[in-house]
Amino acid sequence: MSQFDDLVQKIRGCTLCSLSEKRTNAVPGEGARDADIMFIGEGPGFYEDRDGRPFVGPAGQFLNELLLSIGLSREDVYITNMLKCRPPNNRDPLPGEIDACRPYLDAQMEMISPKVVVTLGRFSFGKFFPGESIGKARGKPRPWKNLTIFPMYHPAAALHNPRLRDVILADFAKLPALADDVIGAPEEAQEAKAEQLSMF
Ligand code: URA
């Protein structure tokens, strides 16, 4: 079994905090295991707990739309959460739950080794920049260790406040240029560049 599969299995069977007692399914995450872009949300909700997959409810529908708006699909990126088990009634994660779950997210980040991490909402932003306001930070890429963090509002915010929909879409629209910058242009563009250079 690969190291990654081993981690997924550990998450699915985790009993490190009391959220494990009420869950239907733990939600490790999904997507490309070598993704350059990783999305980190807050924690599973009703639908995610039911299906064992991240962002499959209404917030997930909007995330799918956002990805599509920049020509990406869920398979191109990795999507996970701060918490791998659903808090009761979707309440905010507790500090002890975040602490208990931290080694899983850290191991995922280590194994996937993304170049850009998009934080969705204040809890995942707080992992990297504790105590700062997401309202001020959103939409502006920031260096953190050897990564670029791109803070965004949580997609669910647009479901509660439809005016945030355009804000989130506009922030998302900055992601392709950021990714090109950090990750490099897509392979075809690099080849075309190399071809041009070879003509001289
Ligand atoms: N909200 C989250 O933060 N994560 C999910 O997986 C679904 C909704």
Side-chain angles (χ1 to χ4, degrees):
M1 191 191 293
S2 74
Q3 216 192 353
F4 199 93
D5 290 331
D6 186 49
L7 178 64
V8 167
Q9 211 171 62
K10 281 205 178 93
I11 294 171
R12 290 210 184 276
C14 178
T15 53
L16 286 178
C17 83
S18 61
L19 293 181
S20 61
E21 293 160 19
K22 298 261 162 70
R23 74 173 175 231
T24 313
N25 289 294
V27 182
E30 71 180 23
R33 294 176 181 195
D34 60 351
D36 287 323
I37 307 177
M38 183 171 189
F39 289 82
I40 306 178
E42 189 174 308
F46 172 85
Y47 296 97
E48 291 77 20
D49 172 73
R50 184 192 67 185
D51 295 356
R53 298 177 57 209
F55 283 95
V56 289
Q61 299 298 318
F62 186 37
L63 181 60
N64 291 348
E65 234 181 89
L66 289 164
L67 286 167
L68 203 64
S69 75
I70 56 167
L72 290 178
S73 72
R74 292 170 71 104
E75 292 75 36
D76 298 318
V77 300
Y78 195 82
I79 303 172
T80 189
N81 283 304
M82 295 289 290
L83 297 187
K84 311 307 188 199
C85 295
R86 183 189 182 203
N89 301 316
N90 300 344
R91 64 150 167 76
D92 286 348
L94 300 175
E97 293 161 355
I98 292 178
D99 282 348
C101 234
R102 179 174 296 117
Y104 296 129
L105 180 55
D106 288 347
Q108 287 175 311
M109 289 181 61
E110 179 94 22
M111 287 181 204
I112 295 165
S113 189
K115 300 203 172 69
V116 176
V117 169
V118 182
T119 59
L120 302 172
R122 65 196 162 102
F123 288 98
S124 74
F125 176 61
K127 172 176 175 66
F128 303 98
F129 300 102
E132 289 194 38
S133 145
I134 176 78
K136 284 196 190 134
R138 51 145 275 270
K140 294 177 220 133
R142 319 241 307 238
W144 184 88
K145 296 192 178 172
N146 58 342
L147 289 175
T148 299
I149 306 293
F150 188 60
M152 287 200 29
Y153 282 138
H154 195 286
L159 307 177
H160 306 303
N161 178 356
R163 273 176 306 174
L164 288 183
R165 203 185 145 81
D166 288 344
V167 175
I168 296 175
L169 273 162
D171 284 348
F172 224 82
K174 296 180 190 166
L175 198 49
L178 171 67
D180 273 3
D181 211 33
V182 175
I183 300 157
E187 228 166 80
E188 310 86 74
Q190 282 177 15
E191 276 167 19
K193 219 187 254 177
E195 222 163 85
Q196 273 174 359
L197 285 173
S198 72
M199 286 160 56
F200 293 100

